[in-house]
């Protein structure tokens, strides 16, 4: 094939590679791409907006299928809240379409840029997983085009095994070409939010458990650098939907959903440059301390906040990853059963501090189990940790993550392909289990017998065997 080629990266910008690429506009063009790839022995990866942090949407030396031009809305029913779209539609385009009718996506990630195909393939979670599950729990039906050229419609009733494997199947079982989703009804364009400081990890976990029943969203920003008795101190954010009568404005106009232009008085375009000045361990200790103290002072006063401002905090600073130039960063996000979360996360943070390789940002969330074959979800917590990558720390950082993975896997923990850069094949087998992996490979035999679908992540962790 003679296609254009360019450098692609993961969102963390610590992994990149050169691939050829195509941008099909409909399922027929996509099927033609697979036919030619099969004839020419080319291996193919789908890519949405490339918001996965590591190598999940990379395919160095082979072909990337950029799905973003397939972003049409096929139908929207404001009575039932059911929408059908092509896979390239972004979360941003989704909420902009439905909010005025009194609906909001049931699950959104921390950024609005991902596509629905990328979200379904990873079964993304939001700050409400403990209550609403992942996005897959709200998908009613999917179409996929397989590398053999078949167009299959999947649901909980039709081809349920494939349906539960394509969702969270990281693009290895075909290209998703249509998604039918049920939205969540909302009466106001705002949420009631409360944030407060917790002095350590134990009280942070207790706060989540105490508020699981009466919250719609829970998340906390963890200071991963504070040592000793302050280990795991954090700022917890809790939000609830509000009924119409509790919001004097009831403003469902999408144009009134804003991301602020300033953060703590600093124009957001300058924030990456300022963060870069602090991007060393001592500097980040000061940033985390400042954020924690600000949350102690400003704690506990409930306020109303627009959905967009609450959910897409990381979009406030569009280029925040530039703060990590030139080496980029990785996010390491272990999922740990609730009964082990305090011990394991304490252990992990202490290991980071002992190694003097500390996460600059930490985020804690709560989950419930789900029915998807290779799911990262469990009844427990995840602690996402952002680590800068430098030429000097790279080997030690990977070694630290492998050490931490052993601790996580020992208690039945899991990992999330969208955030991973470090998993080894043995970690993948332990995290997802030999049985589910064998079932997944059996499905690959059926839909992709020539093994045309490939990503660097799938190859690294040995999805098809070591
Ligand atoms: C700032 C930031 C915050 C984030 N917060 C969260 C969060 O809170 N929760 C969360 O779960 N995730 C979060 N993420 C991760 C992000 O939601 C996922 O990586 C998501 O999959 C990205 O979607 P994408 O369209 O960019 O897909 P890509 O990253 O391009 O691709 C992801 C995977 O989907 C496959 N794929 C893409 N399109 C298709 C298709 N049409 N058919 C089949 N396979 C396809 C790709 O091959 C790849 O395996 C965050 C990312 C960023 C950058």
């Amino acid at each position: 094939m003679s296609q254009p080629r360019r450098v692609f990266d993961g969102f963390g910008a610590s992994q990149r590679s050169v691939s050829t690429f195509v941008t099909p506009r409909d399922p027929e063009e996509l099927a033609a791409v697979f036919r030619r790839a099969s004839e020419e022995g080319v291996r193919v990866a789908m890519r949405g907006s490339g918001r996965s942090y590591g190598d999940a949407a990379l395919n160095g030396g082979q072909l990337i299928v950029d799905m973003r031009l397939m972003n049409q809305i096929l139908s929207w029913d404001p009575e039932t809240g059911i929408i059908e779209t092509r896979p390239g539609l972004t979360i941003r385009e989704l909420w902009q379409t439905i909010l005025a009718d009194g609906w909001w996506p049931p699950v959104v990630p921390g950024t609005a840029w991902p596509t629905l195909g990328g979200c379904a393939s990873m079964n993304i979670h939001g700050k409400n997983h403990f209550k609403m599950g992942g996005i897959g729990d709200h998908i009613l039906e999917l179409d996929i085009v397989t590398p053999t050229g078949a167009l299959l419609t999947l649901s909980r009733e039709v081809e349920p095994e494939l349906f539960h494997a394509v969702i969270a199947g990281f693009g290895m079982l075909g290209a998703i070409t249509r998604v039918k989703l049920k939205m969540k009804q909302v009466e106001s364009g705002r949420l009631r939010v409360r944030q407060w400081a917790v002095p350590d990890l134990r009280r942070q976990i207790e706060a989540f458990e105490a508020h699981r029943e009466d919250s719609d969203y829970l998340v906390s920003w963890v200071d991963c650098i504070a040592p000793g008795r302050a280990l795991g101190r954090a700022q917890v954010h809790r939000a609830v939907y509000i009924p119409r009568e509790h919001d004097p404005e009831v403003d469902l106009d999408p144009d009134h959903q804003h991301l602020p232009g300033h953060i703590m008085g600093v124009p957001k375009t300058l924030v990456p440059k300022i963060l870069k000045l602090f991007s060393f361990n001592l500097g980040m200790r000061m940033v985390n301390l400042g954020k924690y103290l600000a949350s102690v002072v400003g704690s506990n006063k409930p306020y109303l906040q627009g959905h967009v401002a609450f959910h897409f905090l990381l979009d406030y600073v569009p280029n925040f990853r530039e703060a990590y130039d030139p080496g980029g960063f990785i996010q390491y996000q272990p999922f740990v059963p609730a009964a082990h979360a305090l011990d394991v996360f304490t252990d992990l943070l202490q290991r980071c501090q002992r190694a003097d390789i500390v996460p600059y940002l930490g985020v804690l969330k709560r989950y419930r189990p789900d029915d998807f074959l290779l799911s990262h979800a469990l009844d427990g917590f995840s602690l996402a940790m952002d680590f800068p990558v430098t030429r000097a720390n790279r080997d030690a950082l990977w070694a630290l993550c492998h050490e931490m993975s052993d601790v996580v896997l020992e208690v039945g923990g899991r990992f999330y392909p969208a955030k991973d850069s470090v998993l080894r094949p043995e970690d993948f087998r332990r995290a997802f289990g030999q049985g589910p992996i064998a079932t997944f490979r059996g499905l690959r035999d059926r839909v992709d017998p020539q093994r045309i679908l490939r990503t660097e992540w799938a190859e690294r962790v040995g999805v098809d065997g070591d």
Side-chain angles (χ1 to χ4, degrees), residues 78-122:
E79 293 300 314
T80 60
I82 293 175
I83 192 162
E84 286 182 72
T85 81
R86 291 286 178 219
L89 193 85
T90 62
I91 294 284
R92 184 166 188 268
E93 292 164 330
L94 178 63
W95 74 254
Q96 286 178 338
T97 304
I98 62 174
L99 183 61
D101 294 321
W103 300 87
W104 180 256
V107 173
V108 295
T111 169
W113 296 107
T115 64
L116 286 180
C119 290
S121 299
M122 289 298 179

Side-chain angles (χ1 to χ4, degrees), residues 146-222:
T146 70
T148 55
L151 171 63
L152 304 176
T153 297
L154 317 175
S155 69
R156 286 174 182 78
E157 293 76 39
V158 181
E159 296 260 20
E161 187 180 46
L162 198 49
F163 177 80
H164 285 96
V166 167
I167 294 171
F170 32 79
M172 286 295 105
L173 292 173
I176 297 169
T177 54
R178 182 180 64 96
V179 189
K180 185 174 176 184
L181 274 162
K182 168 91 176 160
M183 298 294 109
K184 162 98 180 101
Q185 202 147 28
V186 291
E187 294 185 18
S188 161
R190 298 193 287 180
L191 297 161
R192 184 181 306 285
V193 183
R194 188 165 75 83
Q195 60 186 57
W196 67 98
V198 284
D200 57 34
L201 190 56
R202 183 171 59 78
R203 269 165 286 188
Q204 188 183 165
I205 288 173
E206 285 171 1
F208 272 65
E209 298 302 50
H211 285 289
R212 220 156 24 114
E213 295 300 321
D214 65 4
S215 305
D216 289 309
Y217 299 96
L218 281 170
V219 64
S220 58
W221 297 90
V222 187

Side-chain angles (χ1 to χ4, degrees), residues 13 229 312 377 393:
R229 289 169 56 184
F312 307 128
N393 83 352

Side-chain angles (χ1 to χ4, degrees), residues 11 45-53 56-57 67 87 108-111 114-115 117-119 121-122 124-126 170-171 174-176 314 320 365 416 418-419 455:
F11 183 76
M46 265 73 66
R47 184 170 165 106
S49 298
R51 255 44 185 196
S52 295
Y53 276 63
M67 301 294 281
V108 295
T111 169
T115 64
C119 290
S121 299
M122 289 298 179
I124 57 132
H125 54 261
F170 32 79
I176 297 169
L314 292 166
F320 79 86
K365 290 186 196 149
Y416 180 29
K419 302 289 186 69
T455 63

